[in-house]
Amino acid sequence: MSTFLTHSAPNASTSMSPTFLLVGLPGLSAVPSWWAVPLITVYLLSALGNGAILWIIALEPTLHRPMYFFLFLLSMSDVALSTALMPTLLGLAFANTHAVSTSACLIQMFFVHVFSVMESSVLLAMALDRALAICRPLHYPTLLTNGVISKICVAIAFRCLGLHLPLPFLLAHMPYCHPQVLTHSYCLHPDMARLACPGGRGAVYSLFVVLSAMGLDPLLIFFSYGLIGRVLQGLGSSEDRWKAGQTCAAHLSAVLLFYVPMVLLALIDRLRMPVPQPAHTLLSYVHFLLPPLINPILYSVKMKEIRERIHKRLQPRKVGCAY
């Protein structure tokens, strides 16, 4: 793999090369078709699980509430994010294809970051929903009305599309002074931006876009859960605390699953920690591929209503005979 990158990497230049080079999973380049099987299995299972969540929430009128609406959006973002990653992952797995054209790389980068920020924004909205439901239960129906939810959806759409739409154009016109060899199996903005010449246009804007979502959202989410924890401590009985805390368990697990690998990757890149490339690549896969697979399991196990509605829908209907 290292030999391939050494001989195939383009020379440093001040113009956009027609291709970027991706890094596959180290050690598997000799047998690319082997790891395509678990890769496709993970994708199909995540699509099936999230599809079940989307199906049951869309069909059940009793689930047409803010908490489940945000869960619906989370499942949408999970399916879309894993789908956006598949083209380059499958190319590496099936054909050991490392080269990807600039236009294809920019398109994948745009959609990966749009749906990543969508997932982060939805997790923040879910934390706000739980904080209002537990900290202000009497005012919850009047605070989170359909109009407010519509405004939240518009804000998420603007944040994902409006802020990220300039990024592909900025990167396309940046001068590149380094060999365009990426460090992941898919095109990511920080990975591409680090190859640009110092002082390239749009660097400040790009940093603002990244930090405004992935830096701010976790702080607000954990602040919300700090408020929830303080309220739970003041509840009268341990049974009340258990019931209230159980509603947040699945969401908090999803938050940790999404942000912890991302924070570890950021620390490794920023502090230049001596982490082996296989561990770095696997951690990246965990960040992007594991949440879409695990989230449906978390919500199906932790949320009783989801389990009951799915079980009810899957039960064969009994047909009676009239006499």
Side-chain angles (χ1 to χ4, degrees):
M1 176 65 196
S2 58
T3 305
F4 171 84
L5 292 178
T6 302
H7 291 289
S8 300
N11 296 326
S13 64
T14 58
S15 61
M16 172 69 77
S17 171
T19 60
F20 282 91
L21 293 176
L22 303 170
V23 174
L25 193 61
L28 295 182
S29 57
V31 282
S33 59
W34 180 87
W35 64 287
V37 176
L39 181 65
I40 294 177
T41 302
V42 167
Y43 175 72
L44 292 178
L45 288 176
S46 63
L48 180 63
N50 285 289
I53 297 289
L54 294 171
W55 167 70
I56 200 65
I57 293 177
L59 289 183
E60 284 290 338
T62 56
L63 299 181
H64 294 176
R65 287 177 280 163
M67 177 173 62
Y68 296 105
F69 176 72
F70 292 134
L71 177 57
F72 187 90
L73 293 180
L74 183 66
S75 294
M76 284 182 58
S77 63
D78 276 338
V79 172
L81 177 58
S82 55
T83 301
L85 295 168
M86 283 301 110
T88 53
L89 285 175
L90 293 178
L92 285 165
F94 280 112
N96 201 26
T97 302
H98 294 266
V100 58
S101 67
T102 297
S103 57
C105 201
L106 291 173
I107 290 171
Q108 185 186 50
M109 180 215 72
F110 173 74
F111 284 110
V112 167
H113 285 288
V114 162
F115 294 123
S116 294
V117 172
M118 179 180 175
E119 180 151 352
S120 181
S121 302
V122 172
L123 289 173
L124 177 58
M126 294 175 77
L128 174 64
D129 171 73
R130 290 299 85 206
L132 290 176
I134 294 175
C135 301
R136 295 288 186 270
L138 298 178
H139 301 92
Y140 176 76
T142 58
L143 290 174
L144 209 61
T145 61
N146 290 336
V148 173
I149 293 176
S150 299
K151 291 177 181 177
I152 292 174
C153 291
V154 171
I156 291 175
F158 173 77
R159 189 188 200 197
C160 296
L161 296 173
L163 290 179
H164 286 81
L165 191 59
L167 286 180
F169 299 100
L170 290 172
L171 286 175
H173 292 90
M174 278 185 179
Y176 285 78
C177 302
H178 306 280
Q180 290 171 218
V181 181
L182 303 177
T183 58
H184 294 281
S185 303
Y186 19 75
C187 301
L188 302 177
H189 167 261
D191 206 15
M192 298 173 69
R194 71 179 176 81
L195 302 177
C197 299
R201 294 181 300 170
V204 175
Y205 177 78
S206 301
L207 183 63
F208 164 75
V209 170
V210 172
L211 292 180
S212 66
M214 299 307 184
L216 182 61
D217 288 1
L219 296 178
L220 296 176
I221 289 171
F222 288 113
F223 175 75
S224 299
Y225 273 94
L227 296 177
I228 291 173
R230 189 172 65 176
V231 171
L232 291 180
Q233 288 179 350
L235 292 180
S237 65
S238 59
E239 184 179 356
D240 292 336
R241 288 195 295 270
W242 171 254
K243 288 181 179 179
Q246 206 173 23
T247 62
C248 301
H251 179 227
L252 190 56
S253 301
V255 168
L256 294 174
L257 186 64
F258 182 74
Y259 286 110
V260 168
M262 181 197 71
V263 171
L264 291 177
L265 281 171
L267 290 175
I268 291 171
D269 290 337
R270 179 60 59 181
L271 301 179
R272 301 186 182 278
M273 299 171 64
V275 176
Q277 182 60 41
H280 187 274
T281 305
L282 285 173
L283 190 59
S284 173
Y285 287 177
V286 167
H287 169 58
F288 283 110
L289 298 178
L290 202 58
L293 177 66
I294 300 297
N295 283 346
I297 301 173
L298 287 174
Y299 287 107
S300 297
V301 170
K302 295 292 185 180
M303 300 179 79
K304 184 179 179 181
E305 283 187 281
I306 292 287
R307 289 201 315 271
E308 290 179 346
R309 296 301 184 274
I310 291 178
H311 181 68
K312 182 180 177 181
R313 286 278 177 176
L314 293 179
Q315 276 185 333
R317 295 187 178 182
K318 295 181 179 180
V319 180
C321 297
Y323 294 97

